[in-house]
């Protein structure tokens, strides 16, 4: 048996934890640089805000309904996610973190065999300890747990937890085919064309026919809906093979100073992530380009790839390599919109000894990186940084309406009046 726990309107719920007066008010959260809507509270969904809507097109609606608009605050969301997952792990050791706000839980190891009661206790604990409301679906397979979770969300009167009953027909009829895990928008259109509208309709279909008309993935989905397990818990995430750090500039930039600082910042972030996952990179690609959509301005796209010998995760080595690769392809006279660093050929563990690096140098770099990471973890990202990442602040995001990073920054802790 599996459960799927999914936080309700996660980013909006995080905004509400430390600002309870936002409860029951419509809240939307914006993408980096305050561009588009990436999350909505239920109230905002009801008003009609859609994912991906550019916020400047919604001004009237925002005003009319007194909608709370927030810049994204990933320091807060990431930390709240960690707290939710930590609480879930107290209830079962078999947890697969599926996304920032979702986790699959294997239930077979639980002592209490009344899974629904136990999941209600877990839901209450998460709500009490973190302030985040979650919905939980329980079923014989991951696909059924997902379906029950969808049902729980759509049916608030059942209190946030739904289990697939012995006779599941009613629940299967209540879930439309497009809401089933693994059925995309394209497929749901195709299914509706052949008269399949709900999960119940889908289960009636012959798996062999589905395999022929769609493919084996669709067939597995149907088999899972019938209670046959095809997807198991994945607890050790596959090791990543590449790592990309890039972002659009808030406004176009024209100087090498600005572009080089952006590249150095992305190199810094990428190196941190590598060390965090105990990986080293062998190949580095650096790129920058003008807007891909503005056809009236002169366009230019530049990229260069170099080998890192020996493979490394040392910040200054990666910054140096990225800038050395980028400088020869730099061209004046363009308005650049985006820059980035792409690391490839990642591998685990200790890089091999190299002719090009003395053992003393290696130990020195390792020590510098541990100090750097310790300071930045304890005192906030970017407390210690390399001068190459700059002074022009070109990398600062436009985030005019970000809430405080309540749980990760000492100077932004919530204050309680006495
Ligand atoms: Mg969610």
């Amino acid at each position: 048996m599996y459960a799927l726990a999914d936080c309700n309107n996660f980013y909006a719920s995080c905004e509400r934890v430390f600002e309870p007066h936002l409860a029951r008010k419509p809240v939307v959260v914006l993408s980096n640089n305050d561009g588009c809507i990436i999350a909505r509270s239920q109230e905002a969904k009801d008003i009609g805000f859609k994912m991906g809507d550019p916020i400047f097109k919604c001004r009237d609606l925002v005003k009319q309904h007194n909608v709370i608009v927030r810049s994204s605050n990933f320091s807060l969301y990431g930390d709240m996610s960690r707290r939710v997952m930590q609480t879930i792990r107290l209830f079962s050791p078999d947890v697969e973190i599926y996304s920032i706000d979702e986790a699959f839980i294997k239930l077979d190891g639980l002592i209490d065999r009344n899974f629904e009661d136990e999941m209600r206790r877990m839901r209450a604990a998460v709500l009490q300890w973190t302030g985040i409301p979650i919905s939980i679906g329980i079923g014989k397979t991951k696909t059924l747990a997902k379906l029950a979770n969808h049902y729980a969300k759509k049916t608030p009167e059942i209190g946030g937890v739904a289990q697939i009953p012995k006779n599941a027909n009613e629940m299967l009829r209540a879930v439309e085919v497009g809401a089933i895990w693994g059925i995309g928008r394209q497929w749901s259109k195709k299914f509706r064309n052949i008269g399949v509208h709900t999960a119940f309709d889908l289960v009636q279909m012959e798996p062999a026919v589905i395999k022929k008309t769609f493919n084996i993935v669709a067939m597995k989905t149907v088999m899972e809906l019938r209670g046959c397990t095809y997807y198991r818990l994945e607890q050790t995430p596959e090791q990543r093979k590449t790592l990309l750090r890039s972002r659009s500039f808030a406004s176009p930039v024209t100087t090498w100073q600005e572009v080089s600082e952006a590249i150095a910042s992305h190199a810094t972030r990428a190196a941190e992530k590598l060390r965090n996952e105990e990986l080293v990179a062998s190949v580095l690609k650096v790129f920058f380009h003008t807007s891909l959509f503005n056809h009236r301005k002169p366009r230019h796209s530049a990229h260069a790839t170099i080998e890192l010998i020996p493979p490394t995760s040392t910040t200054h080595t990666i910054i140096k390599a990225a800038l050395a690769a980028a400088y020869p392809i730099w061209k004046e006279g363009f308005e650049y919109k985006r820059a980035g660093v792409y690391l490839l050929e990642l591998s685990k563990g200790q890089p091999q000894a190299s002719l090009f690096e003395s053992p003393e140098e290696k130990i020195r770099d390792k020590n510098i990186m541990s100090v750097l990471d310790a300071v930045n973890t304890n005192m906030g990202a970017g407390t210690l940084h390399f001068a190459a990442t700059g002074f022009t602040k070109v990398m600062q995001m436009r985030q005019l309406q970000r809430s405080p990073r309540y749980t990760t920054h000492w100077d932004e802790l919530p204050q309680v009046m006495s």
Side-chain angles (χ1 to χ4, degrees):
M1 293 292 282
Y2 292 90
L4 177 79
D6 182 7
C7 303
N8 301 349
N9 313 311
F10 182 54
Y11 298 167
S13 298
C14 290
E15 295 290 340
R16 282 171 172 165
V17 170
F18 295 96
E19 289 176 77
H21 65 94
L22 298 183
R24 286 182 291 283
K25 286 186 188 150
V27 178
V28 297
V29 177
L30 305 180
S31 57
N32 285 342
N33 290 325
D34 290 349
C36 305
I37 294 176
I38 56 163
R40 305 154 297 159
S41 71
Q42 188 57 48
E43 296 77 8
K45 288 177 186 170
D46 295 342
I47 291 171
F49 289 100
K50 297 269 176 299
M51 289 296 272
D53 276 354
I55 191 66
F56 74 87
K57 284 191 177 168
C58 306
R59 284 213 187 99
D60 293 342
L61 219 49
V62 166
K63 216 167 186 179
Q64 189 189 335
H65 294 276
N66 290 320
V67 177
I68 313 286
V69 179
R70 285 289 156 83
S71 306
S72 42
N73 184 351
F74 285 106
S75 308
L76 177 66
Y77 311 152
D79 190 56
M80 293 309 292
S81 168
R82 188 185 56 79
R83 292 171 187 218
V84 169
M85 300 304 171
Q86 223 168 32
T87 310
I88 289 175
R89 277 192 205 283
L90 292 178
F91 285 78
S92 166
D94 303 321
V95 177
E96 170 190 341
I97 296 175
Y98 184 65
S99 71
I100 191 166
D101 73 330
E102 275 177 274
F104 283 106
I105 304 146
K106 204 157 190 305
L107 299 174
D108 303 284
L110 300 190
I111 293 163
D112 187 335
R113 303 309 291 176
N114 189 333
F115 297 140
E116 195 176 326
D117 282 357
E118 183 68 354
M119 289 298 99
R120 280 187 196 281
R121 279 191 285 275
M122 186 175 90
R123 183 178 186 280
V126 171
L127 185 62
Q128 190 184 357
W129 296 353
T130 70
I132 302 287
I134 64 176
S135 299
I136 303 172
I138 305 166
K140 250 193 98 181
T141 63
K142 284 168 117 178
T143 307
L144 283 170
K146 267 270 194 187
L147 185 130
N149 184 280
H150 180 82
Y151 183 85
K153 280 222 182 76
K154 294 280 161 202
T155 326
E157 59 272 20
I158 61 172
V161 180
Q163 177 161 6
I164 303 272
K166 273 237 154 58
N167 182 350
N169 289 351
E170 196 192 329
M171 201 184 275
L172 292 176
R173 280 201 183 92
V175 176
E176 55 172 315
V177 69
I180 298 167
W181 191 41
I183 307 285
R185 196 176 296 172
Q186 286 302 318
W187 278 1
S188 66
K189 216 189 246 170
K190 207 169 157 190
F191 272 120
R192 280 196 298 269
N193 284 340
I194 57 171
V196 174
H197 296 278
T198 67
F200 178 79
D201 299 338
L202 188 58
V203 169
Q204 308 309 309
M205 283 192 73
E206 208 44 62
V209 175
I210 303 235
K211 191 175 164 187
K212 233 175 114 186
T213 337
F214 294 86
N215 64 14
I216 189 149
V217 180
M219 188 208 75
K220 284 182 183 173
T221 300
V222 174
M223 293 305 287
E224 283 239 323
L225 285 176
R226 291 181 171 199
C228 307
T229 302
Y230 278 82
Y231 303 115
R232 296 181 189 282
L233 213 62
E234 288 169 25
Q235 282 167 289
T236 40
E238 248 184 73
Q239 186 199 305
R240 71 160 74 239
K241 297 185 176 66
T242 62
L243 178 53
L244 172 69
R245 282 293 175 271
S246 88
R247 200 163 71 211
S248 294
F249 298 111
S251 48
V253 304
T254 54
T255 66
W256 165 250
Q257 180 74 22
E258 292 166 305
V259 170
S260 70
E261 288 177 6
I263 290 170
S265 298
H266 292 312
T268 301
R269 294 287 102 72
E272 279 168 3
K273 188 82 183 163
L274 277 185
R275 292 197 296 278
N276 191 267
E277 298 182 9
E278 295 173 351
L279 297 171
V280 289
S282 313
V283 175
L284 177 148
K285 184 175 168 175
V286 58
F287 62 89
F288 47 90
H289 57 74
T290 55
S291 168
L292 302 174
F293 305 109
N294 190 343
H295 296 276
R296 280 164 301 172
K297 292 267 169 70
R299 287 193 285 171
H300 180 51
S301 171
H303 52 90
T305 306
I306 55 166
E307 208 177 338
L308 298 167
I309 306 169
T312 184
S313 63
T314 302
T315 300
H316 46 269
T317 310
I318 292 176
I319 291 179
K320 218 164 150 186
L323 295 179
Y327 189 66
I329 55 171
W330 166 254
K331 267 195 191 158
E332 289 285 345
F334 295 95
E335 292 188 357
Y336 291 101
K337 190 66 188 132
R338 194 181 190 89
V341 166
Y342 198 24
L343 297 174
L344 302 103
E345 302 288 323
L346 308 185
S347 56
K348 257 284 176 250
Q350 285 301 310
Q352 290 183 343
S354 158
L355 292 172
F356 305 101
E357 193 186 40
S358 67
E360 296 84 41
E361 217 175 313
K362 203 168 142 185
I363 291 166
R364 185 203 63 187
D365 283 351
K366 204 167 173 242
N367 289 342
I368 294 175
M369 290 304 109
S370 356
V371 172
L372 185 74
D373 289 337
V375 169
N376 287 340
T377 304
N378 289 318
M379 303 184 69
T383 302
L384 267 185
H385 62 267
F386 286 87
T389 61
F391 304 96
T392 64
K393 299 287 171 228
V394 68
M395 284 306 292
Q396 244 169 34
M397 280 192 282
R398 186 168 51 207
Q399 288 196 308
L400 299 177
Q401 296 155 103
R402 182 173 57 67
S403 48
R405 293 164 293 188
Y406 294 109
T407 62
T408 52
H409 286 64
W410 287 115
D411 47 350
E412 297 180 25
L413 292 181
Q415 293 184 7
V416 181
M417 305 295 177
S418 59

